[in-house]
């Protein structure tokens, strides 16, 4: 398994301590939630600790931004009210006429934002299979500003070669943004491969408990950090202090959670691929995955996102109706609990039938976010539901 480059302190140590230093006033070990809209000033133009207004800065937010940057190996990060708010903030750094190259099977909300809102602002988008780095190179034009890659993709678990794409982007003077939501920095750190920024929906593995919404952009340069701070202050879609605290608390157990997600994910993937009612399994940790070697090289583990083919919409419906002892039918992923969903009608409804056909997403596909329950219980629930097909 690929070894990630070590930071000065280990990953789990950073997740627990960076940004969570005891409070300087009281020694409180638990970071404070600072719910304030504004801050007292000693005299005109002299805020006490540099804090002026909560849309601009907040101490709980500062702590989280520092922690997430450490985990991804960035210089700092900027957190937003949701993953989509982070994507929107990123796109407000584009100018009229700019072009973005996007992975063709990304989180469904991303093309919805691009095709149904941002095209109206004279921004251009093209979608390519970024698992073929050559296609990325071909898609880059004179006006291309960003290459936006999700790897593994949602829901087909296709892998893009981050190092190869970063090289192309750097040669062409284009910035590479990687949505790292599925792997989390514990298993994949795109900045180390040359990406310029990393984006997450913190709603998923980073927070990890399905109880909050958020997004983050991790920056590799001061210029990005300053621009995004200006966007936080100006456009205002920031993460609230309470949500910041939840994520700060959630990431403290990221390392142990991801280890268990990975173990359970592998066992469930093996179970599914041996089941007679399952036609095909998409999981980068299985040696029959088309990019197994790349996955092994680029990722420290394979995570717990699995998509599988049941053969038809009717079969998928039957299965989803029967699960329930452990697996919950719901959108979203990355929480401690196992969630199961139907991409064609849920997360990927917005891209339409034609869009789904283009990426090979069928009506019989079911996606599972394997939680960290006892894996025997997850498998038993899936087994009884599959046998109903
Ligand atoms: C959920 C998700 C998003 C959007 O995040 P929200 O927090 O729901 O706005 C973006 N990318 C990926 C890969 C996701 O799973």
């Amino acid at each position: 398994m690929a070894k990630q480059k070590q930071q000065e302190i280990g990953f789990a140590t950073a997740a627990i301590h960076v940004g969570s230093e005891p409070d300087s006033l009281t020694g409180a070990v638990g970071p404070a939630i600072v719910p304030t809209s504004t801050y007292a000033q000693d005299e005109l133009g002299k805020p006490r600790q540099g804090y002026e207004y909560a849309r601009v800065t907040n101490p709980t937010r500062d702590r989280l931004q520092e922690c997430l940057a450490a985990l991804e190996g960035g210089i700092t990060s900027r957190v937003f009210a949701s993953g989509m708010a982070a994507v929107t903030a990123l796109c407000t750094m584009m100018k009229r006429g700019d072009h973005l190259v996007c992975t063709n099977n990304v989180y469904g909300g991303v093309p919805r934002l691009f095709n149904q809102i941002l095209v109206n602002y004279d921004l251009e988008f093209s979608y390519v299979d970024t698992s073929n780095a050559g296609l990325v190179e071909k898609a880059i034009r004179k006006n291309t500003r960003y290459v936006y890659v999700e790897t593994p993709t949602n829901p087909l678990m296709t892998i893009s070669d981050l190092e190869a794409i970063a090289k192309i982007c750097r040669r062409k003077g284009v910035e590479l943004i990687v949505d790292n939501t599925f792997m989390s920095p514990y298993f994949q750190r795109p900045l180390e491969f040359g990406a310029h920024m990393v984006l997450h929906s913190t709603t998923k593995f980073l927070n990890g408990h399905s109880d909050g919404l958020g997004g983050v952009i991790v920056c590799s340069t001061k210029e990005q950090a300053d621009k995004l701070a200006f966007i936080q202050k100006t456009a205002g879609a920031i993460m609230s202090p309470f949500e910041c605290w939840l994520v700060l608390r959630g990431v403290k157990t990221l390392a142990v959670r991801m280890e268990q997600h990975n173990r359970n994910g592998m066992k469930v993937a093996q179970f599914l691929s041996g089941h007679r009612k399952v036609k095909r399994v998409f999981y980068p940790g299985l040696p029959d995955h088309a990019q197994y070697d790349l996955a092994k090289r680029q990722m420290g583990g394979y995570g717990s996102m699995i998509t599988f083919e049941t053969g038809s919409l009717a079969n998928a419906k039957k299965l989803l109706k029967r699960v329930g002892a452990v697996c919950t039918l719901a959108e979203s992923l990355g929480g401690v609990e196992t969630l199961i969903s139907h991409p064609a009608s849920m997360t990927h409804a917005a891209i339409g039938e034609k869009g789904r056909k283009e990426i090979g997403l069928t009506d019989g596909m079911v996606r599972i976010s394997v939680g960290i329950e006892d894996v025997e219980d997850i498998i038993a629930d899936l087994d009884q539901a599959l046998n109903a097909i």
Side-chain angles (χ1 to χ4, degrees):
M1 194 151 291
K3 261 259 174 288
Q4 311 255 354
K5 197 175 109 194
Q6 285 295 308
Q7 305 159 251
E8 283 165 38
I9 52 171
F11 186 96
T13 310
I16 292 167
H17 290 285
V18 177
S20 283
E21 297 76 14
D23 184 78
S24 55
L25 194 65
T26 62
V29 168
I33 308 173
V34 184
T36 187
S37 58
T38 191
Y39 304 86
Q41 308 195 8
D42 285 331
E43 58 180 279
L44 213 50
K46 281 231 173 117
R48 284 187 198 168
Q49 309 276 347
Y51 292 103
E52 284 173 63
Y53 189 66
R55 186 170 4 85
V56 187
T57 39
N58 173 279
T60 318
R61 200 166 96 206
D62 287 348
R63 284 175 176 273
L64 177 63
Q65 291 182 157
E66 196 192 331
C67 179
L68 296 182
L71 300 185
E72 282 288 4
I75 62 158
T76 187
S77 75
R78 301 292 177 227
V79 295
F80 297 89
S82 67
M84 288 315 302
V87 181
T88 304
L90 174 81
C91 291
T92 58
M93 294 199 283
M94 294 170 78
K95 292 203 174 72
R96 187 168 52 153
D98 280 354
H99 171 243
L100 181 150
V101 177
C102 183
T103 301
N104 67 352
N105 72 98
V106 281
Y107 177 75
V110 171
R112 180 169 57 205
L113 171 71
F114 293 169
N115 302 343
Q116 297 187 46
I117 295 184
L118 296 181
V119 286
N120 299 325
Y121 294 81
D122 276 342
L123 298 174
E124 295 168 23
F125 301 93
S126 20
Y127 299 90
V128 299
D129 176 1
T130 54
S131 70
N132 180 343
L135 294 180
V136 177
E137 174 144 26
K138 267 199 203 129
I140 292 176
R141 310 176 191 155
K142 272 208 173 66
N143 61 338
T144 304
R145 174 75 196 273
Y146 293 131
V147 170
Y148 184 96
V149 170
E150 199 177 303
T151 181
T153 58
N154 186 352
L156 291 163
M157 306 305 292
T158 311
I159 315 280
S160 295
D161 186 334
L162 291 176
E163 194 171 8
I165 296 175
K167 264 198 198 126
I168 292 167
C169 289
R170 286 183 182 267
R171 178 156 39 80
K172 298 248 180 188
V174 171
E175 285 187 278
L176 172 62
I177 321 300
V178 179
D179 182 335
N180 199 26
T181 301
F182 270 30
M183 279 301 115
S184 91
Y186 186 69
F187 283 139
Q188 177 170 277
R189 308 209 310 165
L191 297 180
E192 288 175 3
F193 295 105
H196 297 78
M197 283 181 264
V198 175
L199 187 142
H200 285 269
S201 165
T202 65
T203 311
K204 314 297 167 51
F205 289 100
L206 291 179
N207 184 49
H209 294 74
S210 304
D211 53 8
L213 213 59
V216 63
I217 300 175
V218 182
C219 308
S220 62
T221 69
K222 185 169 179 305
E223 193 195 349
Q224 297 159 357
D226 290 347
K227 273 193 185 157
L228 286 166
F230 181 76
I231 290 165
Q232 284 183 316
K233 163 171 136 174
T234 306
I238 48 144
M239 194 187 286
S240 79
F242 179 67
E243 308 273 354
C244 289
W245 178 82
L246 276 179
V247 181
L248 199 54
R249 184 164 110 140
V251 291
K252 288 190 206 298
T253 55
L254 184 64
V256 287
R257 282 190 286 110
M258 291 314 292
E259 286 290 346
Q260 191 62 26
H261 277 299
N262 191 53
R263 271 194 292 274
N264 282 1
M266 185 61 90
K267 284 190 184 148
V268 170
Q270 284 166 346
F271 159 77
L272 288 170
S273 50
H275 200 286
R276 69 203 160 83
K277 295 289 172 75
V278 174
K279 313 266 184 275
R280 194 167 163 199
V281 179
F282 300 81
Y283 182 67
L286 293 177
D288 69 354
H289 186 283
Q291 296 143 304
Y292 177 66
D293 291 331
L294 173 59
K296 225 165 47 175
R297 198 162 72 233
Q298 168 169 298
M299 292 147 43
Y302 308 106
S304 66
M305 296 304 299
I306 304 167
T307 295
F308 59 98
E309 178 60 73
T310 64
S312 69
L313 178 60
N315 286 348
K317 269 192 172 156
K318 265 188 214 150
L319 167 85
L320 293 169
K321 194 155 183 223
R322 278 289 289 268
V323 290
V326 181
C327 308
T328 302
L329 172 59
E331 298 205 10
S332 201
L333 58 111
V336 291
E337 58 287 285
T338 298
L339 297 179
I340 193 161
S341 68
H342 182 245
S345 67
M346 296 167 81
T347 50
H348 290 69
I351 62 170
E353 207 178 321
K354 187 168 162 278
R356 290 194 293 277
K357 202 162 184 180
E358 273 167 20
I359 62 172
L361 203 176
T362 69
D363 287 348
M365 283 180 183
V366 169
R367 189 189 79 182
I368 179 165
S369 167
V370 179
I372 60 172
E373 301 97 336
D374 293 299
V375 73
E376 301 74 26
D377 296 332
I378 302 170
I379 288 174
D381 194 18
L382 286 171
D383 193 38
Q384 61 80 28
L386 279 167
N387 290 331
I389 292 178

